[in-house]
Amino acid sequence: MVAEWLEALPRLRQHMGERNFATWIEPIRCSKDEKGLCLETPSRFFQEWVTRHFMSAIQRALAEGGSAALPVRVTVAAEPQPLTPPRRPPVSARPSTTPRPVSRQPRIGRLVPDYTFESFVVGDANEVAYQAARSVAETPGQRFNPFFLWGGVGLGKTHLINALAHDVLGGAQPRRLGCLSSETFINTMVGALRQDQMVGFRERFRDLDVLILDDVQFLAGKERTQEEFFHTFNALHEMGRQIVLTSDKPPHAISDLEHGLRSRFEGGLIVDIHPPTPAMRVAIAVKKASMQGIELPLAVAQTVAERSGSSVRELEGALTRVIASALLRGLPLNEALAESVLAPVTRPRGIVSIDAVQDVVSQQFRVSVADLKSHRRTRSITFPRQVAMYLSRVLADASYAAIAEKFGNRDHSTVMYAVDRLEAKRAQDPATNTLLRSLEGRLRLGSAR
Ligand code: ADP
Ligand code: MG
């Protein structure tokens, strides 16, 4: 080992604290050459983390020993490669007729086949979480134990732990893995208690190489389960087995969590996952569609990304509605269709009155409100009337019957027909879409009436 490095270590340990030091500094191998100090880390994730978080502490510790001028670089050891795709058996080892093997299932719990690292879109919001999950999958039990992943609902935690599990099971080394929700853990334990089978329960869980528990916030307030899990956790941890946990909040914010368990959760690597950026949302829409064999036009992906709620789950829901609508109605999958499908549910409803709609439409088409309400069937009146009915439905959120009444006491099926027709026309015809958008904009701005 290099003298300057050895000399700086005690100060670093003091600056960084015992836990960080053990996790991030002890595994580093230091060498010295003509370019300065070379700190070799075990993986790319490790390299990025050390560079981002500890570089200044390292430089400070070196400077305090008089080695300020020494350039420091952080590298990755040649072996193992952290970012390689999951190892699969070589193609020649399988008969060519069999499809790509589905990855093995865990001993406890089940995995979602589609939740893989390949189907996960990576960006600023989740890069650290992704890299950490890959790193854990590469060398379970050796680093980052436990690995605690937290973040809001629908941001990809369950996806990432499934991906991690697929990789562990698909790896060269056979590993016993359990991947289950905390609710399942609780129910399984309660069942075992009732049937007096706790010995078997403990054996099953303590026999695992990797235990993944999703949504541990559900353990809150469940004292008996927490106690049992605490013992399982300790048993596994002592044997160097990997534990992975997810939660919608960080350990310290989980209320009614027993102190011992909380400090265990805090004893490893804690990483949070953030809501995706707009660009990531577009990429996710495209990827999810392509997994259904659909090539999503960029404009549609953008509309879906913009017009859906903040979580990825809501984004997926919006995408599914748009695709289903195109398939069911036999319409082209374009921006106008996406607008027409997503606009009514996401925009604020009920603030625009039917009277206001009639006013604005009458101005736009230069027909009187009386004509809109009349039963005249001239084309110059029927189209504006349909537009007004459609906008009443979308913006005023009124029932068909209520709209029918406001349009000269018609039958409500007339309104239903008008709404359907406009929706279809909007999806097919960009000009109609533009017109409706501008009317919607005007009505929403001046919706005081
Ligand atoms: P959480 O467990 O955090 O509540 P999930 O893992 O269930 O969220 O994610 C909700 C949905 O969003 C899943 O269908 C998942 O595949 C998808 N998802 C979330 N983040 C991404 C991402 N970065 N790339 C691809 N799909 C994602
Ligand atoms: Mg989840």
Side-chain angles (χ1 to χ4, degrees), residues 158 214-215 313:
T158 300
D214 203 4
D215 289 319
R313 196 168 289 148

Side-chain angles (χ1 to χ4, degrees), residues 115 119-121 126 152-159 284 288 312-313 316:
Y115 288 180
S119 67
F120 194 76
V121 172
N126 58 21
V153 173
L155 297 184
K157 300 182 295 295
T158 300
H159 188 136
I284 291 171
K288 291 281 172 187
V312 181
R313 196 168 289 148
E316 273 192 274

